[in-house]
Amino acid sequence: MIENIASFFRPLMDAENERLSSAITSKIALVLEMFTAILVFIAIVAGIISLFPELNRIIYSSHVTFDITVFLEKASIIIVAIEFFKMLCHPTSENVLETIIFLVARHMIINQTTPIEDFVSVIGIILLVVAKRFLRVAKHKKSFLGEE
């Protein structure tokens, strides 16, 4: 008789334990994400500070073209890091797409690419912008219809 009662409640207890375990795992993951975001933020601030000597070098250099390229490379890495930070702090599909757009744009600007690679990158950016627009319209429709 007691075994029958225990077997009746076991699935309910297992489901409750699984929900509790899932909640704990989610909270630990959130704490780790926020810790990572703090580290990324510190790296971004350090990166921005490191741009000032590069800017000074551009102003007083005779090789301005080379120095501007180095500066743009470092600045674009910081911009991508800022987008990544935004994505960590507020993980939405829109922020993920923005981060990818900046990555592709950085690749196009910094790397020496062929016209075909540039064309593929432009098509990729266009598709990402269209996807971002589609997600924004779908979100707006959802909130307009009261489904959110």
Side-chain angles (χ1 to χ4, degrees):
M1 173 91 170
I2 293 178
E3 287 180 19
N4 289 339
I5 294 172
S7 65
F8 175 76
F9 285 109
R10 189 169 294 129
L12 296 176
M13 293 174 66
D14 288 343
E16 184 63 31
N17 286 339
E18 190 169 321
R19 276 194 294 268
L20 182 61
S21 174
S22 177
I24 290 171
T25 304
S26 294
K27 288 184 189 221
I28 290 171
L30 181 65
V31 168
L32 290 174
E33 284 176 2
M34 288 301 117
F35 180 71
T36 304
I38 291 168
L39 292 177
V40 169
F41 178 76
I42 292 168
I44 289 169
V45 171
I48 290 171
I49 292 169
S50 76
L51 286 178
F52 289 108
E54 292 293 329
L55 189 58
N56 191 35
R57 192 174 300 130
I58 289 171
I59 293 170
Y60 297 110
S61 175
S62 60
H63 307 308
V64 175
T65 306
F66 174 75
D67 290 336
I68 288 176
T69 303
V70 171
F71 181 82
L72 283 176
E73 185 175 346
K74 290 181 179 182
S76 65
I77 289 171
I78 293 170
I79 291 168
V80 169
I82 291 169
E83 288 300 318
F84 183 71
F85 176 74
K86 263 179 33 180
M87 187 180 69
L88 281 175
C89 292
H90 191 67
T92 63
S93 55
E94 194 167 315
N95 284 344
V96 171
L97 288 174
E98 278 184 24
T99 303
I100 296 171
I101 288 169
F102 277 102
L103 279 171
V104 173
R106 179 197 175 280
H107 174 75
M108 268 181 56
I109 293 168
I110 300 304
N111 295 342
Q112 299 296 324
T113 55
T114 65
I116 292 174
E117 289 173 326
D118 288 341
F119 178 72
V120 171
S121 295
V122 168
I123 296 298
I125 290 174
I126 290 170
L127 291 173
L128 289 168
V129 169
V130 168
K132 185 177 167 188
R133 174 88 172 152
F134 174 76
L135 289 172
R136 189 178 305 139
V137 168
K139 182 179 176 184
H140 179 70
K141 275 185 180 179
K142 222 179 196 183
S143 66
F144 181 73
L145 296 174
E147 295 176 8
E148 199 169 16

